[in-house]
Amino acid sequence: MRKILIFILIFIIYFFYSSYMLKKDVEESILAIDKVKVCGKYLGIKSVPGPTRGGSTDYISFKNDDGSVSNFLHIPRYQDKLFDLNQIYANDRICYYYSLKYTIENNNYFVSQIDILKN
């Protein structure tokens, strides 16, 4: 019984620590002054299968003006407060911003702003 309680306590500590670190990393990325601006087309949200028992991971996908494709981790609880992806449609011309200095969850960059360009 004691081992189970220790395991549960460790899990709870890990959960709160990882939540705190994610929030800190996102806030640093949002407040960064050295953001990169890239323009192109919005491709939508793409799901990539996760590990065998884990769920899929969603990425916001863009086709840049130089022809390359960029994918950024989609974290709705933070990004929904910054921009509304429901207002952006596939192939809309956009510019997006992210910081090269700050990354989140396994070295993924975080899109902190999207501007829709008028054609």
Side-chain angles (χ1 to χ4, degrees):
M1 181 71 172
R2 183 175 175 172
K3 288 182 182 182
I4 293 173
L5 289 175
I6 291 172
F7 176 77
I8 291 172
L9 181 62
I10 289 171
F11 177 78
I12 291 170
I13 291 170
Y14 174 77
F15 174 78
F16 282 111
Y17 176 76
S18 62
S19 295
Y20 166 77
M21 291 305 294
L22 175 62
K23 183 178 180 191
K24 182 179 107 9
D25 292 344
V26 166
E27 287 174 352
E28 287 175 339
S29 182
I30 291 169
L31 297 174
I33 58 174
D34 62 341
K35 292 181 186 168
V36 175
K37 176 183 177 181
V38 180
C39 296
K41 289 185 178 181
Y42 174 69
L43 297 178
I45 296 176
K46 311 292 182 190
S47 290
V48 176
T52 54
R53 291 191 178 175
S56 61
T57 302
D58 292 337
Y59 291 92
I60 304 171
S61 187
F62 304 99
K63 183 170 186 179
N64 303 326
D65 286 341
D66 66 4
S68 64
V69 174
S70 296
N71 296 306
F72 296 88
L73 194 60
H74 181 228
I75 307 175
R77 70 176 173 233
Y78 296 111
Q79 289 166 326
D80 286 353
K81 296 175 185 172
L82 300 171
F83 46 83
D84 186 1
L85 288 176
N86 293 324
Q87 300 297 318
I88 307 171
Y89 301 98
N91 294 317
D92 277 354
R93 294 261 317 131
I94 52 87
C95 289
Y96 61 91
Y97 302 81
Y98 67 98
S99 173
L100 290 171
K101 184 176 180 182
Y102 300 104
T103 60
I104 54 173
E105 291 188 3
N106 301 321
N107 295 323
N108 289 296
Y109 294 112
F110 180 82
V111 173
S112 58
Q113 181 180 343
I114 296 177
D115 295 333
I116 302 172
L117 303 176
K118 305 296 180 200
N119 293 334

